[in-house]
Structures are given as C-alpha cells and as structure tokens.
Amino acid sequence: MLCVRGLTRVPVQLTRRCVRFTSNLPPEETAAEIEEEEYDDEEYPSDKYRRSEEMIQRFLRVDHAGEVGANDIYAGQMAVLGRSEVAPLIQHMWDQEKAHRAKMNELIGEHRVRPTVLLPIWRMAGFTLGAATALLGKEGAMACTVAVEDTIVTHYTDQIREIVEQEKQEEYGELLKVLKQFRDEELEHHDTGIEHGAELAPQYKALSQVIKFGCKTAIKIAEKV
C-alpha cells in the first residue's frame, strides 16, 4: 500500500506542477500579439551620429573642392589681367577666396574628410576657365565670376536649408555659421561682377549657361568621389 500511495502521488504532483506552469502561459491572442509586436522605428543614437557625419563629410568634400577651384579661377584671371585697372577688384575677391580655402582646409582636417580624388582636375579646369574668360576682357572675367558665384550661392543656400531642417541644428553651429558667411561673400562677388559689366561680355547668356552647367556637374561629382 505504501508503494501504491507513493506511485499515485508522483503523477499527481507532476500534474499539479504542469498545471501551475501552463497556467502562466499567455492566452493564444496574447502570444500572437507578442509575435506581431512592432518595434519602435526611432533610430539609435549611433545611427543618427553616422548620418550626421555622412552629411558633414558630403558638404565639406564638395565645398573644399569648390573653394580650391575658385582660387584657381581668380589665379587664372590675375595671370591675364594682373596689370589692368580691374586687377585690384579681382585681387580683393581672390583674397576672400583664399580665406575660404584656408577655412575649408581646417574643417576637412578636423572632420577627417577625404578631399575629392578629382581635385587636380578641378584645379587645372579652374585656372583654364579663369584665364580663358579673362582673355575676353574685363567683361568676360566678370561674366565668369557672376556665373560661378550664382551657382555657389544657390549651392550654399541648399546646404544651409538642409542643416536648418535637422532636429538638432545646434550640433552644426560652427558649420552653419561658416556656410552663411561664405554664401554672403559669394553673393557680394556676384553683385560686384554685375556692377562691373559682366552682362556686356560677348555671348553673355550662352557663356553663363555653359559655366553654370560645368559648375553644377562638378558639384555632383565631388559629392560622390
């Protein structure tokens, strides 16, 4: 009898334990809800940081290339018009571009940005463009300045807008300040060119469109490589 009681008690105890265990399982609906639970779509901080750095690197790579190219454009103009009456005006704009280039050199070093691999080509193209348009006279040089600066002002404005649309634009404080300063000074160069006869250059509209197309193409390429 003792053996029988012992044997009968074991399955009872096991049964009770199984009941207690299974009673803790969620109902079928709850289990289904757990399986179908949607995870929060919010990005991890590391993802946001990565996206922020990618944007900054994209901005600085193309802006650095642009400022280097602008320096070479003015160098080409001065090589042709360095002794003309318009030389001091070109030199003033060139000095501002030198300051822009120096700042961009500082920023790409700070953010460890790789310059575009096509930088040597941009430099050669910039000098050639500056010298070729200067051979058309003062008006040709000014037409080149107006076309280039018009494109760059639009480009910087687009970058500023993209930063302002970010959730935490205070994180881009220094860069935003630099872009606004550069945009305003490029706009000053544009207006200076108009005031000094840019629109009197031979085939002004066609020349302007060709230069703008070249600048926009260079911007797109520099953003990628």
Side-chain angles (χ1 to χ4, degrees), residues 35-220:
E35 291 178 2
E36 296 177 0
E37 182 180 359
E38 294 184 0
Y39 290 95
D40 191 356
D41 289 335
E42 184 178 356
E43 291 180 308
Y44 289 104
S46 59
D47 293 332
K48 291 183 178 180
Y49 176 78
R50 176 179 55 80
R51 291 171 64 88
S52 170
E53 279 300 305
E54 286 176 353
M55 186 182 75
I56 291 175
Q57 293 214 358
R58 172 167 53 87
F59 281 10
L60 293 182
R61 180 176 297 111
V62 66
D63 293 350
H64 173 261
E67 295 301 344
V68 170
N71 269 267
D72 291 308
I73 288 174
Y74 285 114
Q77 290 182 351
M78 286 297 287
V80 176
L81 299 173
R83 296 184 179 180
S84 69
E85 61 179 11
V86 77
L89 182 64
I90 296 175
Q91 184 65 55
H92 169 70
M93 293 188 287
W94 190 12
D95 288 341
Q96 287 184 317
E97 296 296 349
K98 289 177 181 178
H100 292 183
R101 183 183 62 184
K103 185 61 179 180
M104 282 299 163
N105 283 337
E106 175 187 327
L107 288 175
I108 65 170
E110 178 181 334
H111 291 274
R112 299 181 180 180
V113 178
R114 172 187 57 78
T116 174
V117 297
L118 299 177
L119 195 60
I121 297 177
W122 293 167
R123 298 202 62 181
M124 181 175 63
F127 185 90
T128 301
L129 176 62
T133 52
L135 288 172
L136 299 174
K138 178 191 74 172
E139 294 80 8
M142 292 299 109
C144 175
T145 294
V146 169
V148 171
E149 301 298 15
D150 182 72
T151 305
I152 298 305
V153 167
T154 301
H155 169 70
Y156 278 143
T157 300
D158 290 342
Q159 288 188 338
I160 291 168
R161 185 181 297 112
E162 189 170 345
I163 290 177
V164 170
E165 290 174 352
Q166 301 300 310
E167 291 182 6
K168 297 182 178 181
Q169 54 179 278
E170 64 273 7
E171 296 178 358
Y172 308 91
E174 180 187 6
L175 179 58
L176 187 60
K177 180 181 178 181
V178 168
L179 294 179
K180 287 180 177 179
Q181 177 191 341
F182 286 9
R183 188 267 315 271
D184 292 345
E185 291 178 352
E186 307 294 6
L187 182 58
E188 176 190 322
H189 298 173
H190 171 277
D191 294 345
T192 297
I194 293 292
E195 292 170 3
H196 288 80
E199 296 172 317
L200 300 177
Q203 300 296 318
Y204 170 73
K205 290 185 178 180
L207 179 63
S208 179
Q209 290 302 316
V210 169
I211 294 173
K212 287 180 180 180
F213 176 78
C215 290
K216 291 175 183 177
T217 302
I219 288 172
K220 292 298 182 182

Side-chain angles (χ1 to χ4, degrees), residues 19-37:
V19 170
R20 289 195 195 99
F21 177 75
T22 55
S23 65
N24 290 329
L25 288 174
E28 292 183 3
E29 311 86 53
T30 307
E33 289 176 2
I34 292 175
E35 291 178 2
E36 296 177 0
E37 182 180 359

